[in-house]
Amino acid sequence: MDRFLNDNHMLMIPGPITVPPRILRVNSRPMINHRGPIFQKIHEYCVDGLKKIFKTDEGEVYIFASVGTGAMEACVSNFFNRDDRVLVLVNGNFGQRFVQIANAYGLNVDALEFVWGQYADPEKVKDHLSKYPKGTYKGVLVQHNETSTAILNDLEKLSPIIKEHGALFVVDSISGMVAAPFEMDKWKVDVVAAASQKAFGCPPGISLLGVSKEALNRANNANLPRFYFDVRKYHESYKKGQPPFTAPISLYFSLEESIKMIFEEGLDNFQKRHIVLRDSVRSAVKALGLKLVSDDSCASPVVTGVFSPEGISPQDIINTMRKDFGIVLAGGQSQFKGKIFRIGHLGFIGATEIFSTFAALELTLDKLGYKFEKGASVKAAQKVFEENM
């Protein structure tokens, strides 16, 4: 029986993720007026909560009715002029997406490539920027958490290097926000994208854009074409406590509930839980004798990439997990396609989901002919949870 065809499947991918029942329930509330007082209170609660999550007192956070790629596009379309030169740090598929978007808007794009599975080395970035006069690059674009390669870039170390060059610090934290520490003001991040379907645990359809004062000034003088994602429109409309266009009201209900749940757990506790989830998954993978994509030093707290055993297709692992156990894993992207499978571990999940995933993975690997010590992965994951209870 293919459980993927009914309601019983469990999403262990890096987004969209399983939406908690509490968020699903509010998503079905009756519709309200998007220009009325009830919605205005919800909107203002979400904006204020997001500023706390983004860790910004000085910047603004805007809410778009789009998936994360819309916010990535807004990162480019609002803050640069045609022919501006930008540097994109690429160590995965979504770094490449930033390159594609910047090219589409007519920017002069340089891509600084890193080995997939390794973080963007701050020293290499510093060395590259030192070859050019200050201000050559109007912006440096980078992923916070690169889901395709399961790595977390060190934004805190990259920040002073980028700001010393005089460039806007532009970050895609679509999968990293909430799950990993993020300090917009402290790290002097000028623009940051996030989205609802990742660690926020909401349905897809809302993207978020954090904007510093410096970036907003750039937006007022930028000449690239924009309309729907024009942050100037949002900035003026937010003064009235509402977005400039029709809001995705049901998704606002979900986002409001998600923010409440995050604060009830405590943002620090939420992020610590993701570290435990990461460590339990990585320990379990190692116990099976499988090779991890990323090093411990830069391992993502939201997804773990695993090389498939020799002679076994990762798609066979993914298909068996889905059909036999109703557990959905992700495959590799771009140069990792057909080589790895990925296990997502983000949002409002815990030990139960990890134990279930690895019990099923062991049965799957055994069925496909891979030899290992039975029970080793679950035991290794249990040990991590025991040490952190």
Side-chain angles (χ1 to χ4, degrees):
M1 176 181 180
D2 189 341
R3 298 187 183 182
F4 186 65
L5 299 178
N6 62 30
D7 293 340
N8 296 328
H9 64 273
M10 183 169 70
L11 293 176
M12 297 297 288
I13 59 176
I17 65 171
T18 299
V19 180
R22 180 172 158 183
I23 292 177
L24 283 175
R25 284 194 293 270
V26 301
N27 198 237
S28 63
R29 283 169 50 186
M31 199 52 53
I32 60 174
N33 176 14
H34 70 296
R35 300 299 184 204
I38 297 174
F39 179 78
Q40 183 173 340
K41 288 182 179 179
I42 295 170
H43 171 77
E44 291 178 345
Y45 175 84
C46 288
V47 171
D48 290 344
L50 290 168
K51 290 180 72 172
K52 292 181 176 69
I53 290 169
F54 282 47
K55 297 288 184 73
T56 181
D57 294 319
E58 301 171 4
E60 303 294 340
V61 180
Y62 305 114
I63 303 171
F64 299 136
S66 81
V67 293
T69 303
M72 290 181 73
E73 182 163 333
C75 285
V76 174
S77 64
N78 280 283
F79 308 105
F80 301 105
N81 297 312
R82 183 169 289 277
D83 296 325
D84 274 355
R85 194 170 182 181
V86 297
L87 179 67
V88 182
L89 311 184
V90 179
N91 50 4
N93 188 61
F94 294 97
Q96 291 179 335
R97 182 169 296 180
F98 252 155
V99 171
Q100 293 169 338
I101 294 170
N103 278 326
Y105 275 91
L107 303 185
N108 288 318
V109 185
D110 292 340
L112 184 57
E113 303 273 356
F114 297 87
V115 175
W116 284 34
Q118 296 182 13
Y119 71 119
D121 187 342
E123 288 303 314
K124 291 182 179 178
V125 177
K126 183 177 182 179
D127 181 62
H128 179 87
L129 292 177
S130 69
K131 298 173 183 176
Y132 300 90
K134 183 177 180 179
T136 297
Y137 290 109
K138 302 304 180 185
V140 177
L141 290 65
V142 62
Q143 267 52 47
H144 182 199
N145 183 86
E146 175 57 79
T147 50
S148 67
T149 53
I151 64 97
L152 191 72
N153 283 314
D154 193 334
L155 302 183
E156 186 172 12
K157 289 184 178 177
L158 288 169
S159 174
I161 297 166
I162 293 167
K163 300 310 294 182
E164 175 65 24
H165 186 77
L168 282 184
F169 188 15
V170 181
V171 175
D172 164 11
S173 188
I174 290 170
S175 60
M177 188 61 70
V178 193
F182 190 88
E183 299 272 356
M184 184 172 169
D185 288 353
K186 183 179 178 181
W187 297 345
K188 301 186 186 304
V189 175
D190 291 296
V191 186
V192 55
S196 59
Q197 79 277 14
K198 302 292 186 177
F200 284 99
C202 298
I206 278 183
S207 65
L208 313 166
L209 195 74
V211 181
S212 71
K213 286 184 178 179
E214 180 183 350
L216 190 60
N217 288 334
R218 292 273 194 105
N220 290 329
N221 296 292
N223 64 13
L224 290 179
R226 55 211 144 123
F227 182 80
Y228 183 75
F229 293 113
D230 189 339
V231 298
R232 297 170 298 182
K233 289 184 174 70
Y234 286 80
H235 187 73
E236 289 304 312
S237 189
Y238 277 25
K239 293 176 182 177
K240 299 178 288 185
Q242 58 186 3
F245 307 108
T246 302
I249 294 170
S250 296
L251 295 176
Y252 261 86
F253 294 156
S254 297
L255 182 62
E256 178 191 33
E257 197 68 21
S258 168
I259 292 169
K260 289 178 180 178
M261 291 170 67
I262 290 166
F263 289 152
E264 285 169 13
E265 182 174 355
L267 183 58
D268 288 344
N269 292 331
F270 191 93
Q271 291 168 351
K272 288 175 183 176
R273 176 166 54 80
H274 279 77
I275 295 299
V276 175
L277 291 170
R278 178 199 68 188
D279 291 348
S280 69
V281 170
R282 292 177 69 83
S283 293
V285 170
K286 291 174 183 177
L288 290 173
L290 299 176
K291 182 182 177 184
L292 292 159
V293 172
S294 57
D295 296 332
D296 289 346
S297 61
C298 60
S300 166
V302 305
V303 61
T304 297
V306 186
F307 284 100
S308 188
E310 187 175 352
I312 298 177
S313 165
Q315 195 59 49
D316 287 343
I317 295 172
I318 293 166
N319 290 343
T320 304
M321 289 284 286
R322 187 192 76 233
K323 291 178 180 179
D324 291 0
F325 305 104
I327 297 175
V328 184
L329 305 182
Q333 297 176 313
S334 298
Q335 63 181 258
F336 279 158
K337 189 175 181 64
K339 297 179 181 179
I340 71 170
F341 62 93
R342 293 177 296 149
I343 304 170
H345 36 83
L346 68 162
F348 298 93
I349 68 166
T352 301
E353 289 82 359
I354 303 302
F355 297 155
S356 299
T357 297
F358 279 95
L361 181 59
E362 287 201 4
L363 290 169
T364 295
L365 291 171
D366 183 60
K367 180 178 181 178
L368 295 174
Y370 179 68
K371 304 301 180 184
F372 58 93
E373 180 187 344
K374 302 282 180 66
S377 67
V378 176
K379 184 177 180 180
Q382 285 178 324
K383 186 173 186 295
V384 172
F385 283 107
E386 287 171 354
E387 291 171 349
N388 289 277
M389 288 181 68

